[in-house]
Amino acid sequence: MTRTSAWTAVLLAAATLAGCSTPPKTNFYTLIPAASAPARADAKPPYSVAIGPVGVPESLDRPQMVIRTGANQVTIAEFERWAGPLKNEIALAIAGNLRPLLGGASVFAYPQGLGADVSVSIDVQRFDSALGEAATVEVLWQVRRGKGSPRNGRSQVREATSGAGYDALVSAHGKALAAISGEIAAAIRATQTP
């Protein structure tokens, strides 16, 4: 066998083996609102609230989950991904959390917040994911009723995970966002009083 044909056979065998292997399964995750009592559907919503825009750090603005592995080190979890853009997932989770907290207000996630009585903008400062440990979320938020003066706030929540896997980590992020939603709801209710 010549040297060229031997290399061809080796390359062909490698290509065949690579074609037979199964690629790793990609898992997709979504942030869901905390479970709570639904708002009454028979009453007209007293006001509307738009969640958005939501800003996230550039390092997190990707489909893959970013996992903190050390004080100054992160890992990109290539096969553990968000179902949608992270900023949209955060907006939808907060909107879902606010609906029952605001007594029937019409709450929706909308990037510009146009046309709503109250707009809430959110700037995510930290969205740390430590697998098997905790989720830490820190946000700056602003609540504005119409053209009135804004109410600014800063919320930071660290929520321990209930297990070692990615599901537990995503659940911890959801609980952290629920706590932050409670603080935002209090600020929104305060805009309703003179």
Side-chain angles (χ1 to χ4, degrees):
M1 182 180 266
T2 66
R3 183 185 280 264
T4 305
S5 61
W7 275 109
T8 303
V10 168
L11 290 175
L12 184 59
T16 301
L17 287 175
C20 292
S21 67
T22 305
K25 178 182 175 236
T26 301
N27 298 303
F28 294 93
Y29 301 89
T30 187
L31 295 166
I32 59 170
S36 59
R40 287 182 44 192
D42 59 344
K44 181 182 182 295
Y47 56 94
S48 60
V49 179
I51 308 302
V54 174
V56 297
E58 219 174 287
S59 60
L60 299 172
D61 196 10
R62 61 180 68 242
Q64 302 92 342
M65 293 179 80
V66 179
I67 306 300
R68 181 157 302 280
T69 55
N72 298 310
Q73 185 177 14
V74 295
T75 299
I76 308 300
E78 188 61 40
F79 300 104
E80 310 301 327
R81 297 177 175 235
W82 296 110
L86 183 57
K87 58 187 163 190
N88 294 356
E89 290 286 326
I90 291 170
L92 290 168
I94 290 175
N97 287 328
L98 288 177
R99 282 184 194 103
L101 294 174
L102 296 177
S106 174
V107 184
F108 54 94
Y110 189 70
Q112 292 81 24
L114 300 174
D117 298 316
V118 178
S119 62
V120 179
S121 59
I122 297 169
D123 186 25
V124 177
Q125 303 291 296
R126 287 180 66 193
F127 199 82
D128 280 358
S129 302
L131 200 57
E133 293 178 29
T136 303
V137 180
E138 180 180 349
V139 301
L140 301 176
W141 47 264
Q142 183 179 82
V143 172
R144 183 185 300 266
R145 181 169 181 82
K147 296 185 190 275
S149 297
R151 291 183 183 260
N152 298 313
R154 178 181 189 159
S155 300
Q156 180 174 343
V157 177
R158 183 180 191 278
E159 184 72 38
T161 60
S162 61
Y166 287 94
D167 282 332
L169 182 59
V170 171
S171 178
H173 273 299
K175 290 175 184 173
L177 289 173
I180 290 169
S181 299
E183 294 176 23
I184 293 171
I188 292 171
R189 284 191 296 269
T191 67
Q192 306 306 305
T193 56

